[in-house]
Amino acid sequence: YLYALTLQQATAITHCIYGNFSGPKAQEIIVARGKILELLRLDESGKVQSVLSVEIFGIIRSIVPCRLTGGTKDYIIVGSDSGRIVILEYLATKNLFERVHCETFGKSGCRRIVPGQYLAVDPKGRAVMIGSIEKQKLVYILNRDSAAKLTISSPLEAHKAHTLVYSITGVDVAFENPIFACLEVDYSKVDADTTGEAISQVQKLLTFYELDLGLNHVVRKWSEPTHRKANLLLTVPGGTDGPGGVLICAENYIIFKNQGHPERIAPIPRRKTMLPSQGLLIVSAATHKKQKDLFFFLVQSEFGDIYKVTLTYEEDLVSAVNIKYFDTVPVSASMCVLKTGFLFIASEFGDHILYQFQSIGEEDEDIEMGKSDEEEFVYFQPRGLKNLSVIDKLESLSPIVDFQIKDLFHDDAPQIYTICGRAQRSTLRVLRHGLTISEMAVSKLPRHPTAIWTVKRTAKDLFDKYIVVSLSNGTLVLSIGETVEEVSDADSGFLGSSPTLSVALIGDDALVQIHPNGIRHIRMDKRIHEWKTPGKKSIVKSAVNQRQVVIALSGGELYYFELDLSGQLQEITRKELGHSVTALDLGPIPEGRQRSRFLALGDDDNKVRILSLDPEDNLAVLSLQSVPSVADSLCLVDLKTGVDASQTTLFLNIGLYDGVLLRTVVDPVTGELSDTRRRYLGTRPVKLFKVSVQGSNALLALSSRSWLCYYYQSKFLMTPFSYQTLDFAANFSSEQCPEGIVAIAENTLRVIVTERLGERFNQVELPLRYTPRAFVIHPQTNHLVIAETDHNAYSVTVQAQQQAQASLDNDLNVDQYKLDHVLPRPGPGQWASCVRLLSAVDNSTLDVVELSNNEAALSICTCVFHGHEEVFVVVGTAKDLTLQPRSCNGGYIHVYRIAENGNRLQLLHQTEIDDVPGALCPFQGRLLVGVGHLLRIYDLGKRKLLRKCETKLLPTFIKTIHTQGDRIIISDLCEAFHYVKYKKAENQFYIFADDTTPRYVTASCMLDYDTTAGADKFGNIFICRLPNEVSDEIEEDPTGSKLKLSQGLLNGAPHKLDGIINFHVGETVTGLCKSSLVPGGNQALIYATIMGGIGVLLPFVSREDVDFFSHLEMHMRQERPPICGRDHLAFRSYYFPVKDVIDGDLCEQYSLLDPARQKAIAEELDRTTWEVMKKLEDIRNMVL
């Protein structure tokens, strides 16, 4: 049994919309990431922040915003593969999407004739049309009931048989009957035609469907032929805002059409480098209404060029369509113009970018325009950004082509190395588990610092006033303003001649400094009260909150002080403990109370106690917990524990000397300790600090790595910093940095800020030249060798020549975001390739070998040949490769050695082959090569590789090869796995087992001698195993006679593999790897997807866990069905019934349920709520 868990959700965006989802003036973006719905919001600095992310366990096919007439906020209408139309409302108070309506209309799945592919809403919010690719269109009327809640009608049919739909949009007709425009093709004559001539006469039609609100039905009102290569419709504002009608985006042209209005057509401006025969398509568009009757459109071409489209009109008569080159950005899947002056580009591949408008392009007199009275094309020169500027970037791994896991930096945990992207925007990304940290300031301190605090001057202050640094022989006080300056003892009131143990604001406006010799109470009027320690004793530990102070003296004596009504610190009681105190902390004072009831105390006999501070039983022990090591630090903190922001729980966090963090729940009434959770953080003793994250309490734990424990989107997260080791830290707040951390690292003072909360990995990227296809880590040098190849592209040398001829602007070379296809495309069958050697540790490229002769580098491996100690790099290339149907004029196997101390690739020789080398693998001192459907063994010769053995029995094309001993596992492109035995004595291959199910394999990984994991292009992960008796039979056959005589079964191998695991991920998996992401953790199957997601399948270690999580998953299916109407079990069984895999993503939604439902499920499982939460946290900690 396996536990499936997503480590990083998909980063690709397929759709994006904007609107006021949480309130009247909130400008927000909702993005669809395949099977994830996410709400994004811009913060005050213009950075994009994720507010809510929800897994819908389905595929989002379309999404639109909808606002009812007179409404102040937008609803979200989602078309998915559930066969249902779903209307969602975002509830800001609970931070969740609530399903308002879910109407069933058809079968589930992405089907041709089931609506869901297209959505269009009436601009006044009165109706919505949901359409399929073929035939079916349904219209729903939207309205309000007496309680002002949204209602939806029964569906009204607008079907038309034998019709393909390309685009749907709502037409703005003010408050007349709603009209929807469709781009359609009627193929009925083509179906009936046997000669094949009718297809040349097929017309594309613009059709208007009218919803008659009086008669409550839909009629086909108007239809007219339009451009044969039209692909997109845009709504033109109507009524009092504009002329109405639609814009049709077609190849090379944009056309305005409306019923009873003459057509207006304008050519799209073209790049000067484009060939006359080359078509130009619009791929995405956005509309911006600046104010009443003032609007424009931004449309983007397939090259990334954005055009501004405006209409010249009087009343309802349009006289011209004006198209103007605006700027060039990465090609987008979708784009949004926000009313606050931002443009959000959801890139097709690579990072998503937020731009700010510098101008709206009205001043660019030098840039050509296409107008509707011109028939000839106008041409322009692409340039760097002029009207837009980059404000923020959302990192995206999509598409991940391949990945490997290895610790090349010798950190505590391994790194994930991914090759991703396409063409010029391709990158190698190194992923580390941890939050991205930004340095705001770094400065050296004069002497060795030991601790640091920040303090406000009064309780009403928004920002901190002082930074107090304890040095080995004194205290340094710094004031916080526009600059940080040192403050004298006289100005601050602090004692600078002694080290400090603690500093805090006490009461409303007083400060307290605790030093080894006493307590210094500094009043607002600079009056100072000192309390001195008795005798020669010194203070070793202290704890302070708003009204209480507790100190521990050497020898184990405890003193408790409290603020009286006059603002003076009064000694309340003292107690002789009889053992040394190692850690102290006071709990926060509950609202409306005078004091905190709890004091946490750790001592040197490995015990932690909760003491009472009530006047009736001062310093009495309420509870006790034994710990495995001495407690080095304690922290009592209130943390959110549910969907409701006001629901908090008091936790006692115990940092142990051996690097372990314990987290225990404290009963707010009795002080009893329960539900202890354990996490190993590092090799150093754990120090704990209270900090603030997004206005809520959080915990910072410092060991050999720094960890932040916080609640994010109703989930508890514990994530390390990707930063150097910190020694001491404190919360920091100033005008320039409202929420940060000030810390000591060795002898430096650092102000740092956490970025991208909620993300589990931070990235370091290195740009690549072409699309990466495969890579390998060289075992001797730990360098990466990457095979890069682009189709329909020129090589670097040809590009340089063409750029010189075309005299392109220098701006292109310095633009931060590379412009795709600046030069004309050479056409199909043309390839550009290189082999790159780079150092991931230094983040630098060491050598690049450009491949000539129109070769495409497709496969790579390292190999140690017989009689050679060095590790060679082997690259497989195809010459003049044609993709469909697949063919080539032969290929080559290049053998490189790493020369010049690992800094250069040196070609040893190349060997010509007769088909595409799809897979390479080292095998017993020789090289296994999948050449098309042939499997061959090569050995190293002096001038080329020498062919030693071959089999032609594999069906279509060899995708991957894995070996162990003399067993070879082949994954075929269309026919899943084949197990092959190599008999060295006979120099012959025998295929002895294959899979019963044909699968289109995209990735595979050998788990053990008999077991292999694979993934197919439909998003399924499966594991096959050779039956034990068959495996034994094959191994116990030394002569191979049984293999020779065995008969094929079902037109295949004599034995069949057993399918033991089936699971539908929902995204095409491009990489599989068996590894562990935590030091000493269990190995698991880790996968990466084309959408940029990373997940894990973790094997269970006990039957008890299997039963527990199976029952929890079953309850969650009942209690929390997916919000878009898809059945969870049906989704995970999309193509094959899910087998022996428990969905951890569904189980983790347990924390999002309300407490009553959580308790009911826990009781069904014979557990408490905390025990269920602990189980979920423990299994996640086994992975990360």
Side-chain angles (χ1 to χ4, degrees):
Y1 279 84
L2 300 178
Y3 185 76
L5 200 57
T6 300
L7 301 182
Q8 175 169 294
Q9 67 180 32
T11 53
I13 294 176
T14 54
H15 306 84
C16 69
I17 58 174
Y18 85 96
N20 312 118
F21 302 107
S22 61
K25 294 185 178 179
Q27 287 287 307
E28 292 153 330
I29 301 169
I30 285 187
V31 298
R33 303 180 185 269
K35 57 192 176 76
I36 290 161
L37 201 61
E38 186 172 10
L39 176 68
L40 305 176
R41 188 182 294 154
L42 273 61
D43 62 14
E44 294 175 356
S45 62
K47 300 290 185 184
V48 180
Q49 302 292 340
S50 174
V51 179
L52 175 63
S53 181
V54 176
E55 171 93 52
I56 71 154
F57 301 105
I59 297 169
I60 299 171
R61 302 171 71 189
S62 53
I63 181 171
V64 291
C66 174
R67 179 180 299 193
L68 295 178
T69 306
T72 58
K73 62 182 291 190
D74 294 298
Y75 294 93
I76 308 121
I77 305 179
V78 182
S80 66
D81 63 342
S82 63
R84 297 178 169 100
I85 185 170
V86 174
I87 302 178
L88 304 173
E89 180 184 7
Y90 174 67
L91 302 180
T93 53
K94 296 182 178 179
N95 192 31
L96 56 82
F97 291 119
E98 184 179 68
R99 190 162 67 191
V100 181
H101 285 289
C102 179
E103 298 295 320
T104 304
F105 53 72
K107 293 181 178 179
S108 62
C110 296
R111 300 171 189 264
R112 201 176 70 222
I113 63 168
V114 175
Q117 185 67 26
Y118 303 109
L119 268 176
V121 70
D122 171 58
K124 299 299 181 186
R126 296 170 296 168
V128 59
M129 175 181 273
I130 184 165
S132 63
I133 294 173
E134 185 181 345
K135 185 182 177 182
Q136 293 190 20
K137 290 181 286 292
L138 298 170
V139 177
Y140 291 87
I141 301 171
L142 305 176
N143 214 327
R144 290 189 182 93
D145 61 12
S146 57
K149 292 186 177 179
L150 177 70
T151 62
I152 188 168
S153 71
S154 299
L156 305 174
E157 293 186 355
H159 303 339
K160 189 172 186 302
H162 304 100
T163 300
L164 297 175
V165 180
Y166 287 80
S167 184
I168 295 178
T169 191
V171 181
D172 194 343
V173 291
F175 290 100
E176 296 178 17
N177 282 334
I179 291 178
F180 296 95
C182 299
L183 266 182
E184 300 177 339
V185 167
D186 188 333
Y187 67 85
S188 55
K189 292 181 180 178
V190 179
D191 253 9
D193 179 43
T194 57
T195 62
E197 295 175 1
I199 194 167
S200 61
Q201 299 166 7
V202 166
Q203 291 182 320
K204 195 166 280 186
L205 303 173
L206 173 66
T207 307
F208 279 14
Y209 290 88
E210 182 179 16
L211 168 62
D212 192 318
L213 292 172
L215 299 175
N216 209 30
H217 73 237
V218 182
V219 295
R220 201 161 185 254
K221 185 177 182 183
W222 176 71
S223 185
E224 189 174 289
T226 185
H227 195 285
R228 186 181 168 88
K229 294 189 177 179
N231 67 307
L232 186 63
L233 292 178
L234 301 177
T235 302
V236 177
T240 58
D241 297 333
V246 294
L247 283 182
I248 304 170
C249 300
E251 187 178 75
N252 300 326
Y253 297 96
I254 293 179
I255 306 156
F256 172 82
K257 264 185 179 289
N258 201 359
Q259 186 178 1
H261 190 290
E263 182 181 89
R264 297 284 182 251
I265 182 167
I268 302 172
R270 299 161 66 85
R271 292 186 177 188
K272 291 183 177 179
T273 53
M274 285 183 64
L275 302 173
S277 59
Q278 194 172 352
L280 185 65
L281 285 173
I282 299 299
V283 294
S284 64
T287 308
H288 179 57
K289 286 186 187 177
K290 290 191 285 185
Q291 57 194 52
K292 195 171 183 180
D293 75 3
L294 192 60
F295 60 88
F296 63 85
F297 305 90
L298 290 183
V299 299
Q300 187 181 36
S301 74
E302 57 191 304
F303 297 116
D305 300 321
I306 291 182
Y307 304 94
K308 180 185 173 186
V309 181
T310 56
L311 301 179
T312 305
Y313 66 95
E314 286 185 14
E315 295 183 349
D316 291 343
L317 184 64
V318 176
S319 56
V321 179
N322 311 310
I323 310 173
K324 192 174 186 180
Y325 171 65
F326 191 74
D327 257 331
T328 300
V329 301
V331 180
S332 68
S334 186
M335 58 198 260
C336 294
V337 178
L338 277 66
K339 290 181 180 177
T340 46
F342 294 96
L343 173 67
F344 180 71
I345 295 290
S347 300
E348 192 177 30
F349 301 108
D351 297 339
H352 314 297
I353 308 163
L354 180 72
Y355 295 94
Q356 187 171 30
F357 286 95
Q358 301 301 309
S359 68
I360 55 172
E362 292 177 351
E363 302 82 14
D364 297 345
E365 299 297 333
D366 57 326
I367 294 184
E368 300 87 348
M369 298 174 67
K371 293 189 178 181
S372 53
D373 55 356
E374 298 174 1
E375 293 189 4
E376 292 189 3
F377 293 113
V378 291
Y379 293 88
F380 68 91
Q381 199 95 307
R383 52 164 167 73
L385 295 177
K386 185 174 182 181
N387 297 308
L388 300 170
S389 64
V390 177
I391 295 297
D392 195 17
K393 181 174 72 167
L394 285 181
E395 291 177 331
S396 172
L397 296 173
S398 171
I400 297 178
V401 181
D402 197 6
F403 82 108
Q404 291 190 38
I405 299 173
K406 196 166 184 180
D407 184 11
L408 301 184
F409 287 83
H410 305 295
D411 289 344
D412 287 347
Q415 304 86 47
I416 303 176
Y417 297 85
T418 66
I419 49 174
C420 40
R422 184 183 72 96
Q424 296 102 314
R425 301 184 72 219
S426 301
T427 52
L428 166 79
R429 305 209 182 195
V430 182
L431 274 61
R432 282 192 180 91
H433 178 218
L435 287 169
T436 305
I437 300 297
S438 290
E439 283 184 350
M440 304 297 287
V442 178
S443 60
K444 285 201 170 185
L445 292 169
R447 287 161 286 173
H448 185 65
T450 56
I452 191 167
W453 300 269
T454 56
V455 66
K456 295 175 181 175
R457 194 61 194 87
T458 69
K460 295 179 181 178
D461 288 352
L462 294 175
F463 306 117
D464 294 320
K465 176 66 176 175
Y466 297 119
I467 298 174
V468 182
V469 183
S470 175
L471 307 172
S472 55
N473 57 353
T475 297
L476 177 69
V477 182
L478 306 169
S479 70
I480 304 170
E482 291 185 4
T483 58
V484 176
E485 298 175 349
E486 188 172 346
V487 182
S488 67
D489 294 356
D491 290 337
S492 67
F494 290 108
L495 180 67
S497 59
S498 171
T500 298
L501 297 175
S502 185
V503 170
L505 175 71
I506 192 163
D508 291 333
D509 56 6
L511 300 176
V512 64
Q513 177 191 13
I514 301 173
H515 53 88
N517 298 319
I519 301 174
R520 191 176 180 91
H521 187 202
I522 307 161
R523 305 295 290 268
M524 188 69 181
D525 55 5
K526 300 294 172 99
R527 284 182 297 156
I528 295 173
H529 300 277
E530 286 270 3
W531 180 89
K532 297 288 186 182
T533 56
K536 294 184 178 181
K537 292 185 177 181
S538 61
I539 301 173
V540 291
K541 295 293 174 183
S542 64
V544 186
N545 64 17
Q546 298 96 312
R547 299 188 58 83
Q548 298 162 286
V549 177
V550 177
I551 57 170
L553 305 187
S554 52
E557 197 172 352
L558 205 63
Y559 282 76
Y560 171 47
F561 300 83
E562 203 172 288
L563 214 61
D564 64 13
L565 295 176
S566 64
Q568 289 285 353
L569 271 179
Q570 298 293 338
E571 181 181 329
I572 304 298
T573 185
R574 57 181 167 180
K575 184 176 183 179
E576 189 72 45
L577 298 175
H579 38 73
S580 298
V581 176
T582 59
L584 276 178
D585 194 47
L586 278 165
I589 299 176
E591 195 172 344
R593 298 290 184 91
Q594 285 288 323
R595 63 180 65 82
S596 169
R597 193 187 169 206
F598 302 124
L599 167 70
L601 181 146
D603 52 34
D604 57 1
D605 63 347
N606 292 10
K607 287 183 175 61
V608 172
R609 294 171 172 83
I610 295 290
L611 305 183
S612 171
L613 297 179
D614 277 349
E616 299 82 27
D617 55 350
N618 252 325
L619 301 183
V621 178
L622 298 177
S623 59
L624 181 146
Q625 180 171 334
S626 295
V627 291
S629 175
V630 174
D632 190 72
S633 179
L634 297 173
C635 185
L636 283 161
V637 61
D638 276 321
L639 293 177
K640 289 194 296 185
T641 53
V643 179
D644 187 357
S646 63
Q647 184 183 345
T648 61
T649 301
L650 182 62
F651 287 96
L652 170 62
N653 299 276
I654 307 169
L656 300 182
Y657 194 80
D658 59 2
V660 171
L661 172 67
L662 301 178
R663 192 160 58 93
T664 303
V665 176
V666 182
D667 188 289
V669 178
T670 64
E672 288 295 322
L673 299 176
S674 62
D675 184 39
T676 301
R677 307 183 193 181
R678 181 182 187 277
R679 182 75 189 258
Y680 176 74
L681 302 188
T683 55
R684 291 167 51 166
V686 178
K687 289 185 171 65
L688 303 173
F689 307 93
K690 297 169 192 169
V691 294
S692 177
V693 170
Q694 292 186 334
S696 300
N697 289 336
L699 179 75
L700 180 63
L702 304 184
S703 181
S704 54
R705 293 184 81 181
S706 306
W707 295 72
L708 186 66
C709 311
Y710 62 106
Y711 272 85
Y712 180 79
Q713 295 184 7
S714 304
K715 294 180 181 177
F716 179 78
L717 300 178
M718 192 169 179
T719 314
F721 286 176
S722 285
Y723 198 64
Q724 70 181 81
T725 302
L726 302 177
D727 300 324
F728 211 91
N731 200 58
F732 179 80
S733 180
S734 70
E735 287 189 43
Q736 295 79 15
C737 176
E739 199 172 77
I741 294 168
V742 61
I744 292 170
E746 296 177 344
N747 63 339
T748 60
L749 177 75
R750 297 169 183 264
V751 178
I752 59 176
V753 176
T754 57
E755 291 191 351
R756 304 286 182 214
L757 291 170
E759 292 189 358
R760 298 196 173 275
F761 298 99
N762 72 88
Q763 307 173 13
V764 176
E765 64 178 63
L766 189 127
L768 304 177
R769 185 178 293 176
Y770 308 120
T771 304
R773 305 290 171 168
F775 79 109
V776 70
I777 299 174
H778 194 271
Q780 291 179 335
T781 62
N782 280 340
H783 294 334
L784 277 67
V785 189
I786 305 174
E788 304 172 29
T789 298
D790 264 341
H791 182 229
N792 199 1
Y794 289 111
S795 65
V796 167
T797 51
V798 177
Q799 283 184 36
Q801 295 168 4
Q802 297 227 6
Q803 281 191 15
Q805 292 169 5
S807 303
L808 292 178
D809 291 342
N810 291 331
D811 289 354
L812 293 176
N813 299 324
V814 297
D815 191 6
Q816 184 180 359
Y817 295 97
K818 300 176 182 177
L819 311 183
D820 291 339
H821 307 294
V822 173
L823 298 168
R825 295 173 178 172
Q830 294 295 316
W831 297 82
S833 296
C834 70
V835 181
R836 180 185 303 267
L837 177 70
L838 60 84
S839 169
V841 176
D842 299 333
N843 198 29
S844 61
T845 296
L846 304 175
D847 192 20
V848 179
V849 177
E850 190 76 23
L851 300 180
S852 57
N853 209 16
N854 198 27
E855 293 179 55
L858 301 173
S859 53
I860 191 169
C861 80
T862 57
C863 186
V864 179
F865 290 98
H866 277 308
H868 297 80
E869 292 184 359
E870 66 178 308
V871 181
F872 293 94
V873 177
V874 184
V875 180
T877 66
K879 186 175 182 296
D880 302 331
L881 177 63
T882 304
L883 294 174
Q884 188 64 32
R886 187 176 61 247
S887 64
C888 66
N889 294 330
Y892 298 95
I893 300 174
H894 301 254
V895 180
Y896 295 92
R897 60 161 40 108
I898 306 293
E900 297 181 9
N901 296 321
N903 295 325
R904 199 167 71 84
L905 287 168
Q906 181 182 359
L907 180 66
L908 188 65
H909 54 61
Q910 64 183 37
T911 306
E912 192 168 350
I913 52 178
D914 48 9
D915 206 342
V916 180
L920 304 170
C921 183
F923 178 65
Q924 298 180 354
R926 297 194 281 186
L927 180 70
L928 273 173
V929 184
V931 184
H933 72 286
L934 309 175
L935 180 63
R936 292 177 179 167
I937 291 182
Y938 284 90
D939 207 346
L940 187 68
K942 288 187 177 180
R943 296 189 177 180
K944 66 174 185 177
L945 293 173
L946 308 174
R947 191 195 307 179
K948 297 295 185 181
C949 182
E950 176 183 282
T951 181
K952 300 178 180 179
L953 299 178
L954 293 158
T956 51
F957 184 86
I958 296 174
K959 182 74 174 66
T960 62
I961 304 173
H962 301 282
T963 66
Q964 194 171 332
D966 55 2
R967 184 173 290 180
I968 304 164
I969 298 175
I970 308 289
S971 69
D972 187 85
L973 195 63
C974 307
E975 297 290 340
F977 292 128
H978 294 73
Y979 279 45
V980 181
K981 181 88 168 177
Y982 175 66
K983 289 291 184 182
K984 192 170 184 178
E986 303 163 23
N987 194 27
Q988 199 162 348
F989 293 113
Y990 295 99
I991 301 173
F992 63 89
D994 60 11
D995 200 355
T996 53
T997 307
R999 294 181 187 262
Y1000 291 77
V1001 178
T1002 56
S1004 63
C1005 174
M1006 194 171 183
L1007 301 179
D1008 60 37
Y1009 198 57
D1010 295 326
T1011 314
T1012 310
D1016 64 28
K1017 70 177 185 180
F1018 303 110
N1020 302 304
I1021 290 180
F1022 57 97
I1023 297 179
C1024 296
R1025 176 171 288 162
L1026 189 67
N1028 288 335
E1029 61 274 11
V1030 176
S1031 181
D1032 294 341
E1033 181 183 322
I1034 298 300
E1035 295 305 313
E1036 292 166 3
D1037 182 19
T1039 62
S1041 57
K1042 291 182 182 178
L1043 284 173
K1044 295 177 191 175
L1045 298 173
S1046 56
Q1047 297 294 314
L1049 184 64
L1050 300 174
N1051 296 322
H1055 304 288
K1056 298 299 172 187
L1057 303 174
D1058 293 336
I1060 59 172
I1061 293 291
N1062 275 317
F1063 183 73
H1064 181 71
V1065 174
E1067 302 161 17
T1068 302
V1069 175
T1070 54
L1072 286 170
C1073 180
K1074 178 187 170 187
S1075 184
S1076 171
L1077 292 174
V1078 291
N1082 294 337
Q1083 287 207 321
L1085 182 63
I1086 299 163
Y1087 63 85
T1089 72
I1090 201 167
M1091 297 279 286
I1094 298 173
V1096 64
L1097 294 169
L1098 180 72
F1100 284 105
V1101 294
S1102 71
R1103 186 72 205 184
E1104 180 193 349
D1105 284 349
V1106 173
D1107 291 341
F1108 171 81
F1109 284 103
S1110 297
H1111 286 89
L1112 177 60
E1113 182 187 38
M1114 181 181 67
H1115 286 294
M1116 289 301 300
R1117 283 181 182 145
Q1118 299 295 321
E1119 293 291 335
R1120 193 176 171 85
I1123 60 169
C1124 285
R1126 189 79 164 102
D1127 181 73
H1128 174 267
L1129 185 60
F1131 175 70
R1132 290 304 187 195
S1133 307
Y1134 220 114
Y1135 294 90
F1136 301 92
V1138 64
K1139 186 175 183 183
D1140 293 349
V1141 179
I1142 293 163
D1143 189 356
D1145 293 337
L1146 180 66
C1147 294
E1148 290 213 330
Q1149 292 190 1
Y1150 178 82
S1151 62
L1152 306 180
L1153 298 174
D1154 58 70
R1157 292 162 78 186
Q1158 285 182 354
K1159 186 178 180 182
I1161 292 175
E1163 287 174 353
E1164 289 282 341
L1165 298 171
D1166 294 328
R1167 308 278 176 131
T1168 65
T1169 301
W1170 287 112
E1171 286 173 336
V1172 176
M1173 304 274 264
K1174 183 182 179 183
K1175 276 277 192 184
L1176 290 166
E1177 191 177 318
D1178 287 347
I1179 198 162
R1180 179 174 273 281
N1181 290 345
M1182 291 170 68
V1183 180
L1184 270 183

